Amino acid sequence: NKKGFIFDLDGVIVDTAKYHYLAWSDLASELGFEFTIEQNEMFKGVSRKRCMEILLDIGGITATKNQFDTWMVEKNVDYLKYIDKMDASEILPDVVRVLDFLKKHHIPIALGSASKNAQPILEKVGLLSYFDTIVDGNNVTKAKPDPEVFLLAAKQLGVKADDCVVFEDAVAGIEAANKANMVSIGIGDKNILSEAQYNFKDFTEMDAIFLNGLLAGK
Ligand code: G6P
Ligand code: MG
């Protein structure tokens, strides 16, 4: 069967989690409380709106609808300042090697991200042309761990869900991939991503034997 590969963006292709963290902690300190790097773990793979809700919870702040929206915009403006400076040097190690491997084997590739900033980031780091389709926060209504983002990506690739492989760094993303009945590959801490079918610290640990195995089937 024809295979399809789906990549999450933040934390898999580029380490934007640090910029999300900086922007959220800027907002938290403006609102008078501290947002820690440990708490940031909960924000991975989670929509901007949901992150805003969690942040206010952490700070014990009740916001009006207006404040909520204003702060969310403020966070994004701040985040965009950080990502504006991004270039190819921020692509995580061996991502390009894996993308080139897939291209060489004519495997369709999708992006499956919760971010509404996905396309400009891929453009900035020069990877946009690798992707046959992009499904992101602008195209889906149900956030990870709902499998919608990955199922839509599979559909757009013209590949059956069962034949898709997902690379994810978020607990919610692994759960979404598992629900979609796709091969879930955790990129990051294997203790955190314990629900993943396979775990790798990063792409440097993923050799050609493993990749060929994925192409050959489950
Ligand atoms: C990714 C990140 C999350 C982020 C979400 C929305 O899933 O892991 O931390 O909240 O995208 O990103 P956005 O760029 O739309 O604010
Ligand atoms: Mg991610």
Side-chain angles (χ1 to χ4, degrees):
N1 279 357
K2 191 178 139 200
K3 302 285 169 189
F5 278 63
I6 307 174
F7 289 74
D8 173 49
L9 175 70
D10 299 286
V12 169
I13 293 176
V14 285
D15 182 19
T16 38
K18 65 184 178 206
Y19 300 130
H20 281 295
Y21 173 68
L22 289 173
W24 285 122
S25 55
D26 285 350
L27 180 62
S29 64
E30 186 194 311
L31 298 178
F33 63 94
E34 198 199 344
F35 173 57
T36 68
I37 194 88
E38 289 78 29
Q39 291 167 330
N40 190 54
E41 207 55 44
M42 292 188 278
F43 282 37
K44 291 185 178 173
V46 173
S47 74
R48 195 182 308 166
K49 182 159 173 278
R50 184 69 197 121
C51 291
M52 187 71 227
E53 290 167 359
I54 304 172
L55 191 81
L56 293 177
D57 263 358
I58 293 170
I61 290 175
T62 339
T64 64
K65 168 93 176 72
N66 238 322
Q67 284 173 318
F68 190 98
D69 293 345
T70 309
W71 291 337
M72 211 165 56
V73 170
E74 206 177 293
K75 182 268 169 179
N76 194 53
V77 169
D78 196 17
Y79 178 66
L80 290 175
K81 270 186 224 149
Y82 289 115
I83 65 167
D84 191 50
K85 300 181 191 80
M86 287 182 84
D87 59 30
S89 69
E90 299 208 36
I91 300 170
L92 288 169
D94 275 10
V95 166
V96 174
R97 177 178 60 83
V98 173
L99 287 168
D100 281 334
F101 172 91
L102 296 172
K103 278 279 167 243
K104 198 180 93 193
H105 290 85
H106 310 289
I107 303 295
I109 305 171
L111 191 83
S113 166
S115 174
K116 295 188 174 177
N117 297 304
Q119 182 136 347
I121 292 173
L122 284 180
E123 269 169 42
K124 275 189 192 308
V125 300
L127 291 180
L128 190 60
S129 62
Y130 279 98
F131 292 84
D132 298 289
T133 188
I134 290 174
V135 181
D136 63 22
N138 300 297
N139 316 113
V140 294
T141 53
K142 285 169 267 167
K144 298 169 190 174
D146 190 283
E148 184 186 15
V149 57
F150 296 144
L151 291 173
L152 188 57
K155 194 174 166 202
Q156 291 186 4
L157 290 180
V159 176
K160 283 196 303 191
D162 293 15
D163 293 317
C164 287
V165 174
V166 175
F167 297 115
E168 257 292 349
D169 73 313
V171 174
I174 292 295
E175 200 182 325
N178 289 341
K179 281 185 186 157
N181 205 22
M182 298 176 175
V183 176
S184 59
I185 303 185
I187 304 292
D189 188 332
K190 68 172 186 301
N191 297 311
I192 295 174
L193 304 173
S194 57
E195 296 299 309
Q197 235 168 299
Y198 300 98
N199 286 92
F200 292 90
K201 188 171 62 63
D202 57 38
F203 285 105
T204 63
E205 296 194 332
M206 202 180 293
D207 61 18
I209 296 171
F210 179 77
L211 289 168
N212 276 313
L214 290 175
L215 298 191
K218 280 198 219 182

